[in-house]
Amino acid sequence: MPEPEAGPGQVVIDVDRAGVCGTDVELFTGQMNYLHTGRSSYPLRPGHEWAGTVTAAGPGTDPAWVGRRVTGDTMIGCGNCPRCLAGRHHVCARLSELGISDGIPGALAERLAYPAAYLKALPATMDAGVGALVEPGGNALRSLEAAALNSGERLLVLGTATIGLLVAMFARARGIETHLLGHRERSLELARSLGFGNAWTRETLPDGAWDAVVDASNAPHLPALAVDLVEPGRRVVYVGLAGSPSTVDTRSIALKDVTAVGILGASAGLSGTITAYADGSVDPRGVIAATVGLDEIIDVLAGQRPAGAGAGPKILVDPRK
């Protein structure tokens, strides 16, 4: 790849860490739906979870960014349409998704050219790995806030991968009684090791009133289960995506007066996530399994766990390792 240059309104970033997401894996294997709709095409450089340091600023960009540690939004809108002007750039009709859709090469590289308008400053003391977890954390925080819970109420999170665990961490920080539902004993053991004693399989899940259910899984049968389990008049939040269509009976939603909320992207949750990580109320480091170099990325994208990896679901990349 040619060395990136900072065009008008852009910066160049030395990438310190990048996370590997399930979306990156689907882009690599060809399973990603965008490849079949034309929204994404090869060649494509993935990577949308990242942290780094600004090393150059292009024309029209504030030079004060140079030297700052940053992360940034995955969702890059046009900036001029009614959706963008109303603060909904993440659903812009001309949306570009960093490292996912055609337009902006992603962060699985030593350096990244990126629009300065979408940067988020990180504290100079924040660990690079933690900085790379801001993007998934933003999705998790948005999911929790969409659940509309108060301290002491009961939340059930479906899924014990990165997003599910982060949702649970944000919920715990707000005094919410948090339970997780998984199906692999290894992932349940990880959840328990992170302090979530209420980690269950479907067979062991206790009865009770679930004031909200967040589906952070990729299982096509769980969206319907979420509606079945949630208390009438409360909320179900969908942040996970199954590889095949899922079916939810809208009669169940209507007759239980349930509010169903979909979450696309971390945009509105990025700043809150940085604050929570910085003040220590949420510590995401337990989800990190290993940090590899770019020369190992092919095996990771193909689904192989690095030798010596811990129990966490997240693999990070150090481009200079």
Side-chain angles (χ1 to χ4, degrees):
M1 296 291 292
E3 283 284 333
E5 296 182 0
Q10 290 186 326
V11 296
V12 170
I13 296 152
D14 279 4
V15 178
D16 295 322
R17 294 289 188 279
V20 178
C21 174
T23 300
D24 303 323
V25 173
E26 290 185 359
L27 288 167
F28 179 78
T29 62
Q31 295 173 304
M32 178 66 177
N33 182 59
Y34 283 5
L35 293 166
H36 307 287
T37 63
R39 189 163 175 170
S40 302
S41 63
Y42 300 131
L44 182 147
R45 191 177 78 206
H48 59 277
E49 304 173 359
W50 59 274
T53 302
V54 177
T55 57
T61 304
D62 186 351
W65 280 114
V66 176
R68 298 193 72 177
R69 301 187 66 243
V70 294
T71 187
D73 202 335
T74 298
M75 311 304 228
I76 312 299
C78 73
N80 300 311
C81 70
R83 294 176 190 173
C84 286
L85 295 175
R88 294 183 286 119
H89 70 271
H90 63 295
V91 290
C92 172
R94 290 179 283 173
L95 180 73
S96 292
E97 295 177 73
L98 176 75
I100 298 175
S101 62
D102 291 342
I104 306 177
L108 286 177
E110 292 93 342
R111 295 176 188 84
L112 169 69
Y114 182 84
Y118 292 88
L119 288 170
K120 296 289 183 180
L122 296 175
T125 56
M126 182 174 286
D127 178 82
V130 171
L133 291 171
V134 167
E135 196 278 341
N139 280 280
L141 179 56
R142 286 195 66 212
S143 300
L144 177 64
E145 292 181 339
L149 291 171
N150 296 313
S151 177
E153 292 189 305
R154 300 177 84 232
L155 168 68
L156 178 62
V157 180
L158 309 183
T160 52
T162 299
I163 299 296
L165 290 171
L166 290 173
V167 171
M169 290 178 185
F170 279 105
R172 178 172 59 190
R174 297 188 179 192
I176 295 164
E177 182 184 326
T178 305
H179 297 248
L180 292 114
L181 180 70
H183 67 282
R184 294 190 182 94
E185 188 56 34
R186 177 177 177 177
S187 66
L188 294 175
E189 288 175 358
L190 172 64
R192 294 174 189 130
S193 75
L194 295 174
F196 298 104
N198 296 319
W200 316 99
T201 64
R202 183 67 185 95
E203 292 72 30
T204 62
L205 182 69
D207 295 329
W210 304 109
D211 298 307
V213 179
V214 173
D215 179 13
S217 76
N218 60 2
H221 68 285
L222 288 184
L225 179 64
V227 176
D228 290 341
L229 292 176
V230 74
E231 272 286 282
R234 302 306 297 265
R235 291 191 171 205
V236 171
V237 180
Y238 296 112
V239 65
L241 293 175
S244 58
S246 56
T247 301
V248 177
D249 191 338
T250 57
R251 292 172 297 183
S252 298
I253 295 174
L255 293 173
K256 291 183 71 173
D257 198 33
V258 167
T259 299
V261 183
I263 297 296
L264 175 67
S267 302
L270 295 172
S271 295
T273 299
I274 293 169
T275 297
Y277 288 178
D279 67 21
S281 58
V282 174
D283 182 355
R285 290 174 293 179
V287 307
I288 300 172
T291 300
V292 302
L294 282 174
D295 58 343
E296 301 171 79
I297 194 62
I298 298 299
D299 291 339
V300 171
L301 290 171
Q304 300 178 33
R305 288 181 70 82
K314 179 62 64 178
I315 307 297
L316 298 180
V317 177
D318 178 349
R320 291 163 190 81
K321 187 173 181 180

